[in-house]
Amino acid sequence: MIDDTGFLSRAATRGCGTSVLWNARQTANCQVAVSLHEVCTEGAAVLSWRLYLPESWSNDPQRLAEAGVPKEVTFRKKWELALEMIDQAREWELTDRIIVADAGYGDVTAFREELEKRKLRYAVECNPIPEFGLSHRVRAN
């Protein structure tokens, strides 16, 4: 399972940006982490986390240096971080599971295409398509 979570934070904290926090029901300064979870009948566990660095941060070398962000860290979209973690988990030779994700990932065609290239099964939420009048859909492969 792929998910991202916002953590309330001070504006000076590494990677901090403005985002909507559903658990706080507000827009606030926060850090966002993308996570990969193993979920099976025996239980669940976090396999990996990645700090999402907003694009506004990656375009500000002084801000990056002041926060101590390593020079090799560059802007990557959340779905790209998710794919990196999936690839890492596959290197660990874990059993492939169905990838489950919300619309933040499912709406991204490139994310779904990359899962298909990897021959991974997935069930992802996709937002409605207004021109077709659909209220909700889930894309599964």
Side-chain angles (χ1 to χ4, degrees):
M1 178 179 76
I2 300 292
D3 198 14
D4 51 77
T5 304
F7 303 95
L8 287 173
S9 188
R10 298 184 331 256
T13 305
R14 183 180 308 169
C16 188
T18 302
S19 187
V20 175
L21 291 176
W22 296 109
N23 55 345
R25 292 180 176 82
Q26 64 185 5
T27 299
N29 283 327
C30 66
Q31 289 178 302
V32 175
V34 177
S35 55
L36 173 66
H37 305 257
E38 170 86 7
V39 180
C40 60
T41 57
E42 290 82 24
V46 177
L47 296 177
S48 188
W49 291 87
R50 296 280 193 285
L51 178 64
Y52 170 73
L53 189 66
E55 194 167 10
S56 60
W57 271 73
S58 62
N59 294 329
D60 188 341
Q62 181 179 348
R63 191 179 202 183
L64 292 171
E66 289 173 1
V69 176
K71 291 183 192 263
E72 65 272 8
V73 174
T74 60
F75 173 74
R76 287 187 305 289
K77 296 174 181 171
K78 291 177 189 177
W79 65 268
E80 292 171 322
L81 294 172
L83 287 171
E84 287 176 12
M85 291 185 288
I86 290 167
D87 290 342
Q88 181 183 39
R90 294 181 93 193
E91 289 173 8
W92 298 336
E93 298 182 11
L94 298 174
T95 302
D96 285 342
R97 306 257 185 220
I98 296 172
I99 303 297
V100 178
D102 65 19
Y105 301 88
D107 282 345
V108 181
T109 302
F111 177 69
R112 296 189 317 267
E113 289 173 345
E114 288 297 323
L115 293 176
E116 290 177 13
K117 281 182 191 174
R118 290 163 172 77
K119 298 184 182 348
L120 291 169
R121 296 176 299 153
Y122 60 88
V124 296
E125 178 185 24
C126 296
N127 278 316
I129 305 174
E131 61 270 20
F132 294 110
L134 298 176
S135 62
H136 189 76
R137 64 188 177 121
V138 173
R139 172 102 183 214
N141 177 350

